[in-house]
Amino acid sequence: MKKRILAFLISAATVMPLCCIGGGAAGTNKAPTVIPAIREWNGGTGEFKLSDTVKINVKDATVSDGKKNIITESFSSYLGVDVVFAEEGGDIFFVTDKSDEELGKDGYSMVITENTITVKAPEDIGFLYGVYTILQSVKADGYVPCGKARDFSYYQIRGGMLDVGRAWIPLDYVEEITKYYAFFKLNEIHLHINDKGANN
């Protein structure tokens, strides 16, 4: 079920108007195939491809253990790729940078070359969303197109609802769908318990 849902959502990115973003001038890469679409994209040439083990350099970044665990689990779950966090060398570089105020708390910028990806973000949630962009792109196309991205949300609150008041939904499914919400950069889940209020 998990793989079927993910395959449908990723493949939908190629046909949904929300996510169809072209590249820049002729000969440059189109934006990565992701949901939601990247806010700003400047296409380059070439592709970044992942190996079976990815080294993430966190020397110049502040990343909580919780975010590291989510990132590790996400690479493993969605792509079967192992992650190593290091302070020397690397394939992906995280850099904490608070200079771009328009990014807000969960935005990020990214520079993709054929050898490395550098993700800059003011908070570690931005690193997580940058990783989700990488994972979605690789899942959809097999690579991340080289270029420059700048991505931040239109809305502070982005969520969905599960109506657990009218139909029994296993807790494991609630946990699974919550991870999918995060994968598509939603940040809230609303569980509809009942229609009568808390006192009835």
Side-chain angles (χ1 to χ4, degrees), residues 41-157:
W41 172 255
N42 184 4
T45 57
E47 302 167 354
F48 174 91
K49 293 186 177 181
L50 292 174
S51 60
D52 293 336
T53 300
V54 171
K55 181 185 286 188
I56 299 179
N57 188 306
V58 293
K59 180 180 179 181
D60 297 317
T62 302
V63 189
S64 68
D65 289 340
K67 292 296 188 301
K68 288 181 179 178
N69 291 338
I70 295 172
I71 288 168
T72 299
E73 179 186 352
S74 297
F75 269 101
S76 175
S77 176
Y78 293 115
L79 298 179
V81 170
D82 295 326
V83 170
V84 176
F85 291 95
E87 294 193 358
E88 296 293 336
D91 307 297
I92 299 173
F93 291 76
F94 288 170
V95 178
T96 298
D97 183 353
K98 300 179 181 293
S99 63
D100 189 347
E101 295 182 359
E102 192 175 16
L103 292 180
K105 291 184 177 181
D106 56 8
Y108 64 94
S109 64
M110 185 158 40
V111 177
I112 307 104
T113 71
E114 292 183 351
N115 298 314
T116 63
I117 296 178
T118 301
V119 182
K120 293 184 178 182
E123 306 288 344
D124 60 0
I125 184 66
F127 299 132
L128 181 60
Y129 287 159
V131 163
Y132 287 154
T133 291
I134 294 168
L135 295 179
Q136 287 189 33
S137 181
V138 173
K139 191 73 175 178
D141 299 319
Y143 59 87
V144 185
C146 294
K148 296 179 180 180
R150 188 167 172 270
D151 196 20
F152 52 99
S153 62
Y154 285 93
Y155 304 103
Q156 183 177 357
I157 297 175

Side-chain angles (χ1 to χ4, degrees), residues 5-22 30-38 132-133 135-141 183-184:
I5 295 174
L6 182 60
F8 169 76
L9 291 171
I10 291 294
S11 62
T14 62
V15 297
M16 294 174 64
L18 176 65
C19 308
C20 296
I21 292 185
K30 293 184 178 180
T33 304
V34 298
I35 302 174
I38 291 174
Y132 287 154
T133 291
L135 295 179
Q136 287 189 33
S137 181
V138 173
K139 191 73 175 178
D141 299 319
F183 188 69
F184 295 103

Side-chain angles (χ1 to χ4, degrees), residues 157-186:
I157 297 175
R158 310 174 301 280
M161 185 190 78
L162 285 180
D163 192 349
V164 298
R166 292 183 174 85
W168 181 79
I169 298 177
L171 183 59
D172 288 346
Y173 180 79
V174 175
E175 181 180 352
E176 181 179 341
I177 204 68
T178 300
K179 291 179 180 178
Y180 280 119
Y181 279 17
F183 188 69
F184 295 103
K185 300 168 188 168
L186 303 180

